[in-house]
Amino acid sequence: MKKIMTNNVDLYFSNDDIFEVIKEVEEYILKDCHTTDGIEDLKSNYLYLAIYEITSLFTSKCIEINNCITYNGARIICRTLYEQLLFITYIQEDNSQSNQRAKRYIKVNEYRRLKIVQDRIDDVGFSEEEKKQLIENIELIYYEAIRSFKESKLEIKIISSNDKWYMEKNNTKKLSNIYELSKYLGMEGEYERIYRAYSNDTHSLGSSKNEILKTLKQNFRIKSGKFEETENFFIEEIELSGFTNFIISEFIKEVSKFIKKPELWKKHEKSLQIHSDEKWRYDNT
């Protein structure tokens, strides 16, 4: 398999590998949709719908990171990939809760999207009738979102602006943010090394003068086309590549579990390890 060399991330996985993942998910969830009953069943199968949306977003972000021309942009995308890995892992982590968690993912996010439209309703140019219909839809989805927490490990009466679809009680603590979710899934180390480490790129917290000059030098090096495979790798490049390959590989494992097809991941396992070993043993002398 030919590995790809992008402007900033040395990925083992090609675009074709990523397209195969979404194709496998599509074929799996549509396998019974050749009848009217099958289509109706799919409409109420929140697990299938949630996994498909998460995988679709993950696929698009993988394509974006392949075409990203700055380190800052690639790190932001890497954080989004990490979030989607957490989401698919969390949904599948407890079989008894999977469909309920997927329903919360669909309903709470649907409510959030409609609220954004409502907040900008005067800029959209809706008629009074359309505004009335939107408000009615929001109210309906709001209560559906609240009910989606029923029989979960945390029942709620209202949804506040900071509430997350994945929140639930873990012992006595509520999963209320990405850190808590990472810790719950045993990925606290990955959170620290990937998500938290790349937070400056997302939240624009500001950098020191030396960090700004370093980023400028790296980005100029990319845009000027001076990125050759024989060139010495910076530690940032190795880390970004390693983190991205790790996230994609773990995501494929989760998809393999969902579609009950372990060979989807197994065919990459050995060659990815070889690729990673060669990358980390790179001799820059």
Side-chain angles (χ1 to χ4, degrees):
M1 179 183 297
K2 182 180 179 181
K3 73 183 180 71
I4 57 175
M5 193 70 174
T6 68
N7 284 337
N8 46 36
V9 186
D10 183 15
L11 290 182
Y12 160 80
F13 297 98
S14 69
N15 285 349
D16 287 342
D17 295 328
I18 305 304
F19 289 141
E20 182 185 14
V21 173
I22 186 66
K23 180 182 177 182
E24 291 281 359
V25 171
E26 288 174 345
E27 290 180 352
Y28 183 78
I29 67 176
L30 294 174
K31 64 182 184 301
D32 296 323
C33 288
H34 52 278
T35 65
T36 302
D37 288 344
I39 295 173
E40 291 303 313
D41 288 343
L42 176 61
K43 290 179 181 179
S44 60
N45 193 322
Y46 292 102
L47 178 60
Y48 280 19
L49 297 177
I51 296 294
Y52 179 68
E53 181 175 81
I54 292 169
T55 306
S56 296
L57 179 57
F58 191 89
T59 300
S60 67
K61 291 302 176 181
C62 285
I63 305 306
E64 282 184 35
I65 206 169
N66 282 344
N67 296 305
C68 193
I69 63 172
T70 67
Y71 288 99
N72 307 68
R75 288 192 288 261
I76 291 171
I77 297 171
C78 187
R79 277 171 55 99
T80 302
L81 292 175
Y82 177 75
E83 289 176 348
Q84 302 314 307
L85 171 60
L86 285 182
F87 296 162
I88 192 174
T89 304
Y90 170 70
I91 287 175
Q92 297 198 108
E93 181 258 346
D94 183 345
N95 289 334
S96 67
Q97 291 284 317
S98 288
N99 199 62
Q100 201 67 26
R101 290 174 176 180
K103 187 174 184 178
R104 295 195 327 250
Y105 172 87
I106 296 291
K107 293 299 181 180
V108 174
N109 287 338
E110 186 175 3
Y111 167 68
R112 298 282 188 217
R113 284 191 287 269
L114 287 176
K115 281 294 291 180
I116 291 173
V117 176
Q118 184 183 31
D119 293 341
R120 301 172 183 172
I121 197 167
D122 293 331
D123 300 325
V124 178
F126 280 4
S127 66
E128 290 303 314
E129 183 60 32
E130 288 172 329
K131 290 179 181 179
K132 180 181 177 182
Q133 185 63 53
L134 175 63
I135 293 172
E136 289 177 356
N137 289 341
I138 289 175
E139 184 175 346
L140 176 63
I141 295 299
Y142 177 76
Y143 287 109
E144 286 183 357
I146 290 176
R147 286 195 296 271
S148 70
F149 283 88
K150 189 178 181 181
E151 298 179 2
S152 71
K153 297 178 182 178
L154 176 69
E155 293 191 34
I156 63 173
K157 295 182 179 180
I158 62 169
I159 297 178
S160 68
S161 59
N162 293 324
D163 286 340
K164 304 295 190 293
W165 67 269
Y166 51 79
M167 63 183 186
E168 66 174 49
K169 286 280 188 179
N170 176 29
N171 295 325
T172 59
K173 197 162 189 176
K174 185 168 72 174
L175 305 180
S176 58
N177 52 50
I178 292 295
Y179 169 71
E180 291 295 338
L181 183 58
S182 298
K183 188 175 180 180
Y184 172 75
L185 294 172
M187 297 178 66
E188 188 174 2
E190 287 80 0
Y191 170 88
E192 294 291 342
R193 291 191 295 271
I194 302 173
Y195 200 79
R196 185 178 180 183
Y198 291 165
S199 63
N200 280 6
D201 299 284
T202 300
H203 300 298
S204 301
L205 299 178
S207 304
S208 67
K209 181 180 74 172
N210 288 339
E211 288 173 332
I212 294 171
L213 291 172
K214 182 179 181 181
T215 299
L216 180 61
K217 178 181 177 182
Q218 290 175 330
N219 289 343
F220 174 76
R221 176 171 167 267
I222 292 172
K223 292 177 181 179
S224 61
K226 297 177 180 178
F227 192 86
E228 303 294 335
E229 191 161 2
T230 56
E231 192 172 334
N232 292 346
F233 291 104
F234 290 115
I235 187 63
E236 291 90 344
E237 297 170 43
I238 298 175
E239 286 182 342
L240 183 56
S241 300
F243 290 156
T244 306
N245 283 326
F246 165 77
I247 292 170
I248 295 174
S249 65
E250 292 300 307
F251 194 92
I252 293 177
K253 291 178 188 178
E254 287 297 322
V255 169
S256 298
K257 181 167 69 173
F258 171 69
I259 65 175
K260 301 176 179 60
K261 192 174 182 179
E263 60 267 26
L264 180 64
W265 158 245
K266 286 294 183 181
K267 68 180 182 180
H268 293 295
E269 188 171 15
K270 186 175 181 180
S271 52
L272 174 60
Q273 185 60 54
I274 294 172
H275 169 84
S276 300
D277 290 345
E278 290 176 348
K279 181 72 173 180
W280 284 102
R281 287 202 300 263
Y282 185 86
D283 184 4
N284 62 358
T285 59

